[in-house]
């Protein structure tokens, strides 16, 4: 099958060989669009239809799809004889690590991996090795990767988790079958923006780590309330757990130094992925040198195990170096421009909702935004499941897709502008948004 005629036929073909036809359940959407090309802020599907993209492949494409300087650097790594030598240090990994450590305040030292999930897994392992404890606090409404201990409690219904718990912890709701999470009892889910529940868990369990996105970006955009991240920092110091910021989505997108730079709160460990290599598979665990150096502790019983055939892969590393260099060279123009574009689309969408008499709000951080069909931006998952109109949200997204604007058709999923979006793209989007709203309401 070289050139499939329709998106449906791609799915049908794939279903014969891949369960469900798609290799990640997160990509399983309705309508099932088979994209074949991405360039800048645009996508094309197998039927030749063009879309303005606000999904950015789940957020990595901060500089746009197939950003030339990054692609050229990756291609050069392939053409120049770089390879996966499987022994010894590489010049490129050292260059990338230096670029990150010199520009990201939270990262005194780093190590390189391939995916966000591997990186959050390693961060937890380091925290356990350093503290000698096992328990981990996660956020209700946060996503930190696909592995056994963290893949739980993201988008639950009220029936699944019950009313708001404070202080206390939520029942664990694994994202799927086949995990040990409910058997090990090491994971504790608490509400975002709730310091009392963190204290509650720490008093009961020897806690190794609290891992959180500094603003939740897997249930839209849910910001920390003033003092919340500072409060987490104080609790970490009081109870001796490691504060781990999962900046897989927020890192490099909101500032060169990630959201920890914006908030001024320094985590003990930090995890990056996605935008760090503008779409190439690379992730980073970084943090305070004293904790990162546990990786080389001379005592093997205290040394967290880090290994990976593809860690520091030359192609992804070359892409990340090019991304970092571009961000560093352009940061003074780029981040304010992304903020201005974000503000423009936010104002435009709010104006449309208001003129149509629809109760709605927008939560936004720079280039990432989400609309909620409710009075005010949520402070936690409960606000969303109690207040948001999920059916209308998805209907609006589908109407936008029909009109050539790709808001991924999953309720509350955040939209990500890229540096490739133009004011003309935003103008077109707002025009289509108005028409979609008129069709849905
Ligand atoms: C905040 C956060 N952490 C971790 C991950 C896992 O990253 P990956 O999908 O690269 O394993 C994701 C993925 O969406 C994420 O959004």
């Amino acid at each position: 099958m070289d050139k499939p005629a329709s998106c449906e036929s791609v799915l049908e073909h794939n279903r014969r060989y891949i369960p469900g036809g798609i290799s990640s359940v997160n990509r399983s959407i309705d309508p099932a669009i088979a994209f074949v090309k991405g360039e800048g802020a645009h996508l094309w599907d197998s039927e030749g239809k063009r879309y303005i993209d606000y999904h950015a492949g789940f957020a990595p494409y901060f500089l746009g799809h197939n950003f030339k300087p990054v692609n050229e650097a990756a291609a050069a790594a392939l053409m120049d004889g770089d390879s996966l030598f499987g022994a010894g240090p590489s010049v490129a990994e050292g260059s990338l690590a230096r670029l990150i450590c010199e520009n990201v305040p939270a990262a005194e030292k780093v190590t390189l991996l391939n995916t966000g999930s591997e990186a959050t897994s390693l961060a937890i392992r380091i925290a356990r090795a350093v503290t000698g404890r096992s328990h981990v606090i996660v956020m209700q409404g946060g996503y930190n990767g696909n592995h056994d201990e963290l893949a739980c409690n993201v988008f639950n219904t009220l029936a699944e988790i019950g009313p708001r718990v404070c202080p206390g912890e939520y029942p664990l709701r694994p994202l799927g079958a086949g995990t040990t999470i409910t058997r090990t009892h090491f994971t504790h889910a608490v509400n975002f923006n709730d310091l009392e529940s963190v204290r509650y868990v720490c008093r009961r369990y020897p806690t190794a780590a609290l891992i959180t996105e500094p603003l939740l970006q897997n249930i839209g955009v849910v910001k920390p309330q003033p003092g919340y991240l500072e409060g987490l920092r104080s609790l970490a110091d009081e109870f001796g757990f490691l504060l781990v910021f999962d900046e897989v989505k927020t890192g490099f997108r909101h500032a060169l130094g990630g959201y920890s730079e914006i908030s001024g709160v320094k985590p003990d460990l930090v995890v990056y992925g996605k935008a760090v290599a503008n779409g190439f598979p690379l992730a980073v665990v970084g943090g305070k040198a004293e904790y990162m150096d546990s990786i080389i502790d001379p005592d093997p019983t205290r040394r967290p195990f880090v290994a990976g055939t593809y860690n520091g892969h030359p192609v992804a590393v070359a892409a990340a170096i090019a991304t970092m260099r571009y961000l560093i060279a352009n940061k003074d123009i780029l981040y304010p421009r992304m903020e201005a574009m974000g503000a423009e689309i936010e104002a435009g969408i709010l104006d449309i909702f208001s003129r149509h008499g629809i109760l709605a709000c927008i939560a936004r951080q720079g280039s990432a935004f989400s609309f909620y069909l409710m009075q005010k931006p949520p402070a936690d998952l409960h606000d969303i499941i109690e207040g948001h109109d999920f059916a209308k949200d998805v209907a609006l997204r589908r109407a936008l897709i029909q009109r050539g604007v790709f808001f991924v058709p999953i309720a509350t999923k955040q939209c990500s502008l890229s540096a490739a979006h133009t004011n003309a793209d935003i103008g077109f989007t707002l025009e289509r948004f108005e028409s979609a709203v008129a069709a849905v309401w």
Side-chain angles (χ1 to χ4, degrees), residues 54 341 344-345 417 421-431:
Y54 287 90
M341 272 203 298
E344 185 185 343
I345 199 159
L417 284 159
H421 283 81
T422 62
N423 293 91
D425 289 327
I426 292 178
F428 177 89
T429 301
L430 291 174
E431 181 205 306

Side-chain angles (χ1 to χ4, degrees), residues 136-140 144 149-150 152-153 172 187-190 211:
V136 173
I137 300 175
V138 300
M139 293 298 145
Q140 178 66 58
N144 308 111
E149 288 183 277
L150 302 182
C152 64
N153 294 58
L172 285 180
T187 307
H188 305 273
V190 302
I211 183 164

Side-chain angles (χ1 to χ4, degrees), residues 58 114-118 120 143-146 213 218 246 248-249 274:
F58 280 111
N114 306 285
T115 68
S117 298
E118 285 173 63
T120 54
Y143 179 66
N144 308 111
N146 60 23
E213 303 166 75
N218 280 281
D246 178 347
V248 166
K249 265 196 170 165
K274 302 209 188 227

Side-chain angles (χ1 to χ4, degrees), residues 48-353:
K49 183 172 170 186
R50 192 181 91 144
Y51 307 79
I52 297 185
D53 179 32
Y54 287 90
H55 187 39
F58 280 111
Y61 291 105
F62 183 50
L63 301 176
H65 292 270
N66 284 308
F67 185 62
K68 237 179 163 197
V70 173
N71 280 12
E72 281 171 359
L78 286 170
M79 301 313 287
D80 292 351
D82 208 343
S83 191
L84 198 62
F85 303 113
S90 88
V91 173
E93 72 183 342
S95 303
L96 176 58
R98 180 174 175 177
L99 278 173
I100 297 171
C101 293
E102 286 182 349
N103 288 282
V104 177
E108 293 171 14
K109 284 194 176 177
V110 295
T111 194
L112 308 179
L113 301 104
N114 306 285
T115 68
S117 298
E118 285 173 63
T120 54
S121 177
L122 176 60
I124 298 303
R125 183 176 283 177
I126 293 173
R128 285 180 170 151
V130 164
T131 61
R133 306 173 185 173
S134 297
H135 293 261
V136 173
I137 300 175
V138 300
M139 293 298 145
Q140 178 66 58
Y143 179 66
N144 308 111
N146 60 23
H147 41 89
D148 269 27
E149 288 183 277
L150 302 182
C152 64
N153 294 58
V154 184
F155 225 125
N156 302 109
T157 62
L158 210 49
E160 284 170 329
I161 55 167
R164 191 177 261 105
V165 176
C166 179
E169 53 179 307
Y170 283 84
L172 285 180
R173 299 289 174 208
L175 290 180
T179 74
T180 54
I181 188 167
T182 51
R183 278 176 245 152
T184 55
H185 305 294
F186 288 141
T187 307
H188 305 273
V190 302
N191 226 356
F192 193 63
N193 277 322
D194 172 8
L195 294 172
E196 272 321 295
S197 293
V198 175
R199 187 177 285 282
Y200 171 96
V201 174
C202 289
R203 283 198 174 126
R204 282 161 181 77
Y205 306 99
T207 304
L210 179 148
I211 183 164
T212 184
E213 303 166 75
L215 68 155
L216 301 184
Q217 282 199 197
N218 280 281
I219 53 171
V221 174
V222 177
K223 292 191 178 186
Q225 288 173 340
Y228 176 63
L229 297 179
E230 291 81 353
L232 290 181
R233 181 65 270 166
S234 303
L235 287 169
D237 296 337
E238 181 183 340
F239 286 98
F241 64 79
L242 264 55
L243 178 60
V244 184
F245 277 177
D246 178 347
E247 296 234 37
V248 166
K249 265 196 170 165
T250 53
F252 303 97
R253 177 169 279 281
H254 299 323
L256 197 52
Y259 198 78
S260 66
E261 184 179 67
I262 293 172
S263 68
V265 175
K266 193 169 178 182
D268 297 301
L269 296 174
V270 64
V271 177
Y272 298 105
K274 302 209 188 227
V276 67
N278 201 57
F280 284 82
L282 187 126
V284 180
V285 177
K288 295 181 178 166
E290 60 183 302
Y291 302 133
M292 291 304 294
D293 281 339
S294 68
I295 290 173
I296 47 158
D297 195 307
D299 177 354
T301 64
R302 296 165 52 89
R303 191 193 310 150
F305 181 62
V306 186
T309 303
Y310 297 115
N311 290 2
H313 191 284
V315 174
V317 168
I321 290 172
T323 303
M324 285 291 300
R325 286 196 177 136
Y326 186 88
L327 294 177
I328 292 164
N330 294 282
K331 68 178 189 322
D332 294 340
I333 295 167
L334 182 62
Y335 290 105
R337 182 171 162 260
M338 298 310 294
E339 169 57 32
M341 272 203 298
E344 185 185 343
I345 199 159
E346 173 180 350
I349 290 176
L350 284 177
D351 178 54
I352 293 167
F353 279 135

Side-chain angles (χ1 to χ4, degrees), residues 42-43 49-54 398-407 428-429 432:
H42 295 101
L43 299 174
K49 183 172 170 186
R50 192 181 91 144
Y51 307 79
I52 297 185
D53 179 32
Y54 287 90
R398 291 193 179 129
L400 283 165
I401 289 170
Q402 281 171 358
R403 289 162 176 75
V405 175
F406 189 66
F407 277 35
F428 177 89
T429 301
R432 299 298 158 111

Side-chain angles (χ1 to χ4, degrees), residues 388-426:
H388 182 58
D389 186 338
F390 287 79
K392 276 278 197 300
D393 178 342
V394 174
L396 177 55
R397 288 164 186 266
R398 291 193 179 129
L400 283 165
I401 289 170
Q402 281 171 358
R403 289 162 176 75
V405 175
F406 189 66
F407 277 35
V408 71
I410 303 170
T412 78
K413 260 293 164 205
Q414 127 246 338
C415 294
S416 301
L417 284 159
S418 77
H421 283 81
T422 62
N423 293 91
D425 289 327
I426 292 178

